[in-house]
């Protein structure tokens, strides 16, 4: 992930086939390491005479071993026994010595978090020190499990039965992660997994909008929301494999949608829609609680390229909105270039649309309830 810019999911799929328990442990170790890279590096650098290269095997093995100790509470003898074979024929002596020094000392608390320096600097400039401090707290805490329901009464009944909390209409939060397939209502299709932040764009669609397009729809949480709210929804995405997951969820949840496999930039609907929701591809830095690797992947170049694509997608989507209709734009990003700046540039360059409302979710919002992913969403209305 750090060298090749892969996501956790793609790296896991491309690795060796492991037994389920070993796969879960490998993902846990990788995830807890990525959540604490700045902290782990400070520990390592404080115990070595000469700084280890950033991408050296010794540094990575030390990160993996220390993350197991700090976050997963693996016994010292076990993590040493698994770390040293990884540097067999290499800097084994160095790794053994550094681990011995650190394990004999006082290691920091597992709840002590820090962001990569460049990310902290970027977000401090954009959002201030309080938001960065909240993000540092959030990155080392596993996020809760959020469920979206078709029906608000079912959501309230589920929360009461399972010890959950209703955090919004038709939305329940469980404090601890669980195997979702074993939860009540899964087979019956009562709910689907969806972070609270990602429900905000669909909530902005006016209730009187009959025909709604969900652009870049897969994997489909927003499509399900729109259909459950009673709209006639068309789900558009160019990835057939990702749309297969949407089809499966529509079948399980017992909801209907028209599915179109097409690139947004090539799409040509026969008639305009009452509302278009564009959940645009982005750097995804707002999802760092679940995917800490995004903070290492989202370079300024990636952010700039994403913003350029978002501008083209906005222009295409705007053409499909009827006069008086709504264009809802969303990104799970904490970068203003992909959110506020993107909308400002669109409105400055294109007449005929007005900003009706916008919502920015920053680290620290509802922190006492488990927090929310970083998010931006805005609703524009086509005039005339």
């Amino acid at each position: 992930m750090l060298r090749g810019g892969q996501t956790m999911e793609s790296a896991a799929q491309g690795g060796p086939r492991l037994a389920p328990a070993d796969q879960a442990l490998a993902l846990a170790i990788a995830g807890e390491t990525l959540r604490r890279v700045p902290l782990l590096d400070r520990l390592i650098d404080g115990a070595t005479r000469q700084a280890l290269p950033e991408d050296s095997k010794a540094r990575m093995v030390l990160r993996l071993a220390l993350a197991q100790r700090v976050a997963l509470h693996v016994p010292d003898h076990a993590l040493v026994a698994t770390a040293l074979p990884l540097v067999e024929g290499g800097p084994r002596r160095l790794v053994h010595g550094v681990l011995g020094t650190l394990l004999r000392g006082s290691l920091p608390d597992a709840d002590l978090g820090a962001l990569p320096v460049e990310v902290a600097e970027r977000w401090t400039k954009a959002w201030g020190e309080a938001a960065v401090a909240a993000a540092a707290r959030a990155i080392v805490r596993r996020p809760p499990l959020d469920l979206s329901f078709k029906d608000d009464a079912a959501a309230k009944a589920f929360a009461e039965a399972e010890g959950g909390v209703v955090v919004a209409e038709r939305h329940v939060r469980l404090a601890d992660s669980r195997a979702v397939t074993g939860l009540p209502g899964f087979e019956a299709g009562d709910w689907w997994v969806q972070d609270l932040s990602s429900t905000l764009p669909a909530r902005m669609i006016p209730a009187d909008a009959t025909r709604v397009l969900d652009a870049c729809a897969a994997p489909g949480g927003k499509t399900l929301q729109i259909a459950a709210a009673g709209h006639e929804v068309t789900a558009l995405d160019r990835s057939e494999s990702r749309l297969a997951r949407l089809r499966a969820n529509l079948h399980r949840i017992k909801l209907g949608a028209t599915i179109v496999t097409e690139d947004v930039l090539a799409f040509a609907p026969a008639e305009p829609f009452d509302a278009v929701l564009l959940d645009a591809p982005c750097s995804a830095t707002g999802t760092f609680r679940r995917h800490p690797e995004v903070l290492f992947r989202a370079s300024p170049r990636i952010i700039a390229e994403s913003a350029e694509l978002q501008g083209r997608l906005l222009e295409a989507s705007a053409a499909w909105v009827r006069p008086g209709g709504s264009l809802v734009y969303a990104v799970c990003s904490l970068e203003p270039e992909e959110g506020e700046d993107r909308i400002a540039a669109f409105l400055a360059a294109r007449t005929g649309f007005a900003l009706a409302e916008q919502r920015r979710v920053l680290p620290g919002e509802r922190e006492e309830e488990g927090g929310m992913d970083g998010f931006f969403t805005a609703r524009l209305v086509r005039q005339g």
Side-chain angles (χ1 to χ4, degrees):
M1 288 180 277
L2 293 179
R3 288 180 177 175
Q6 294 186 63
T7 64
M8 183 90 74
E9 182 179 3
S10 65
Q13 291 176 347
R17 293 190 178 276
L18 301 173
D22 289 338
Q23 177 81 344
L25 177 58
L27 289 171
I29 294 171
E32 296 302 338
T33 300
L34 289 168
R35 293 176 187 280
R36 295 171 172 80
V37 168
L39 169 67
L40 301 174
D41 281 350
R42 285 200 296 269
L43 292 173
I44 295 165
D45 292 340
T48 54
R49 290 180 184 156
Q50 293 183 328
L52 299 173
E54 173 68 22
D55 65 346
S56 69
K57 180 179 284 190
R59 181 179 289 277
M60 186 55 70
V61 171
L62 286 167
R63 286 169 173 168
L64 292 167
L66 292 169
Q68 292 178 72
R69 178 68 170 77
V70 172
L72 301 176
H73 310 296
V74 173
D76 293 356
H77 69 273
L79 65 88
V80 171
T82 54
L84 295 183
L86 298 176
V87 284
E88 198 70 54
R92 178 186 175 106
R93 196 174 195 179
L94 170 65
V95 170
H96 197 185
V98 172
L99 277 179
T101 298
L102 292 173
L103 294 176
R104 285 193 298 271
S106 177
L107 292 177
D109 187 275
D111 289 336
L112 184 61
L115 305 180
V117 173
E118 61 275 14
V119 176
E121 291 176 348
R122 193 169 73 233
W123 288 358
T124 297
K125 181 180 179 180
W127 312 119
E129 294 181 355
V132 172
R137 292 191 298 271
I139 197 170
V140 292
R141 298 175 185 168
R142 291 177 178 260
L145 177 62
D146 283 0
L147 305 177
S148 275
F149 282 74
K150 289 190 297 186
D151 178 76
D152 196 48
K156 292 174 180 176
F158 179 95
E160 184 175 355
E162 295 298 317
V165 177
V166 176
V167 289
E169 186 179 8
R170 302 189 306 278
H171 206 85
V172 174
R173 171 164 291 178
L174 298 173
D176 56 323
S177 295
R178 312 181 195 179
V180 295
T181 55
L183 288 172
F186 176 81
E187 293 294 341
D190 293 342
W191 49 262
W192 58 96
V193 176
Q194 189 178 18
D195 184 83
L196 177 59
S197 285
S198 71
T199 71
L200 299 176
R203 295 179 188 273
M204 281 191 179
I205 294 173
D208 61 355
T210 301
R211 298 179 63 253
V212 177
L213 173 70
D214 184 8
C216 304
K222 298 175 186 66
T223 297
L224 296 172
Q225 271 186 278
I226 297 167
H231 305 286
E232 297 175 13
V233 57
T234 297
L236 170 68
D237 201 283
R238 68 179 183 180
S239 172
E240 181 56 46
S241 60
R242 284 165 55 83
L243 283 173
R245 182 176 170 187
L246 171 55
R247 288 187 174 91
N249 279 328
L250 284 168
H251 178 74
R252 181 177 67 84
I253 306 297
K254 301 176 180 65
L255 290 171
T258 300
I259 296 178
V260 178
T261 307
E262 179 67 88
D263 191 305
V264 170
L265 296 174
F267 183 55
E271 57 181 313
F273 294 87
D274 300 315
V276 174
L277 191 161
L278 172 63
D279 185 5
C282 69
S283 65
T285 51
T287 68
F288 69 90
R289 300 184 307 155
R290 289 178 172 81
H291 307 288
E293 71 271 21
V294 299
L295 299 187
F296 300 93
R297 298 178 63 236
S299 65
R301 178 182 63 82
I302 293 294
I303 294 167
E305 289 176 354
S306 296
E308 191 275 333
L309 174 60
Q310 290 150 11
R312 290 190 286 135
L313 293 173
L314 265 170
E315 280 294 330
S317 302
W320 311 328
V321 182
R322 67 160 176 81
S326 293
L327 171 59
V328 178
Y329 171 79
V331 284
C332 54
S333 168
L334 279 164
E335 315 306 325
E337 299 94 321
E338 300 180 86
E340 293 85 349
D341 295 355
R342 189 71 270 144
I343 289 298
F346 173 82
L347 292 174
R350 199 182 207 284
T351 59
F353 279 85
L355 179 64
E357 55 182 321
Q358 69 179 25
R359 178 86 157 80
R360 163 61 72 183
V361 180
L362 292 175
E365 182 163 341
R366 303 185 75 156
E367 183 174 2
E368 68 286 350
E369 301 173 45
M372 299 171 66
D373 282 352
F375 221 88
F376 174 81
T377 189
R379 182 170 69 89
L380 311 175
V381 174
R382 184 168 188 173
Q383 300 171 323

